[in-house]
Amino acid sequence: MAAGFAAEAVSRDGAWLLVVAPQNRDAAIAELEAYRAENNDRTARVTTSDPVYEGATVAVFVYSCVLMLVAVLAAKSTFGLEWFQAGRMHAGSVVGGQWWRMLTALTLHLDAAHLMGNLLFGTVFGLLAGRSLGGGVAWLGIVIAGGMGNGMNAWAQPAAHTSIGASTAVFAALGMIVSHGLRRWAASQEKPFKRWSPLIGGILLFAFTGVGGERTDVLAHVTGFFAGMLIGWIGSRVPNRWLANRFVQYSAGVIAIALLVVAWATGLTVAM
């Protein structure tokens, strides 16, 4: 044994016994109790999990409905308007004050494949974010961070640059998940690699899903990811009792939808 005296492990009647000399009995018991206490502390640190909040499934269903509704309305040129012209992220227009494009562009897609891809990844990342923060709060954060990502992209790109798609918001959701994971591990006594594992995993996942494709606006994905990390950092500090409050979650969800409705109403009105 590590305590410095001889011991033998013996199996008897289906149980393992530790056999020591009579004079070492008390020392062996003390050693085992110390090990058990240390092991229990480590187990508590590792297995302690964050609470899981409601509304994640409902929120991603609403997300899917919004994207498909806008796709139909845009395809039919509802109200006799060109929705893509009115809502796309046009860098010069955004910098010039057309703020609504930062949000409306999140709901527009080039084709069915583009839409399906963002529905798939948005559902996966949105579910994870919603379970960590609650459906309403998570998607309010995703909408805000997605808009911020488009805004930062507009300032960094040439004035003629345009982009559309929910992927900026999708990677904002990934950034929020990373921030939430970092906060959990930051206070732990685990090794540095494990404490930083959420960020490492998030960057690897981003590299795998966010930089491919001929028409991919990589910078929009990057800005969305970092905006999501910022919003996620703020969201992870919201008191648990607020996140568990249904009124808070419903209110946040309504605000998220309202932001998109107001953005589209403003953009279409200006386009008339």
Side-chain angles (χ1 to χ4, degrees), residues 49-114:
S49 59
D50 294 327
V52 175
Y53 298 103
E54 299 178 354
T57 303
V58 173
V60 296
F61 175 75
V62 174
Y63 161 76
S64 301
C65 289
V66 168
L67 292 194
M68 289 188 288
L69 175 62
V70 173
V72 171
L73 295 175
K76 292 181 175 294
S77 298
T78 306
F79 307 127
L81 298 172
E82 289 294 331
W83 285 56
F84 284 90
Q85 292 294 328
R88 65 182 181 174
M89 197 293 289
H90 181 263
S93 298
V94 171
V95 173
Q98 295 187 5
W99 59 269
W100 58 86
R101 292 180 180 272
M102 296 186 295
L103 298 176
T104 54
L106 298 174
T107 62
L108 290 169
H109 294 87
L110 290 171
D111 50 37
H114 189 201

Side-chain angles (χ1 to χ4, degrees), residues 157-245:
Q157 297 280 14
H161 180 79
T162 63
S163 66
I164 57 174
S167 54
T168 308
V170 169
F171 288 103
L174 176 60
M176 290 173 64
I177 296 167
V178 169
S179 279
H180 192 270
L182 284 174
R183 189 199 175 193
R184 176 187 174 190
W185 287 106
S188 73
Q189 298 178 14
E190 300 295 340
K191 294 180 179 179
F193 179 81
K194 193 163 188 177
R195 290 203 302 269
W196 289 100
S197 60
L199 179 60
I200 296 170
I203 292 174
L204 290 175
L205 190 56
F206 177 89
F208 182 72
T209 60
V211 298
E214 229 176 88
R215 298 176 297 181
T216 300
D217 190 342
V218 177
L219 183 57
H221 293 179
V222 172
T223 55
F225 181 76
F226 281 106
M229 287 192 65
L230 174 60
I231 296 298
W233 181 84
I234 296 171
S236 68
R237 281 152 179 77
V238 175
N240 289 348
R241 66 180 184 278
W242 290 10
L243 298 178
N245 188 303

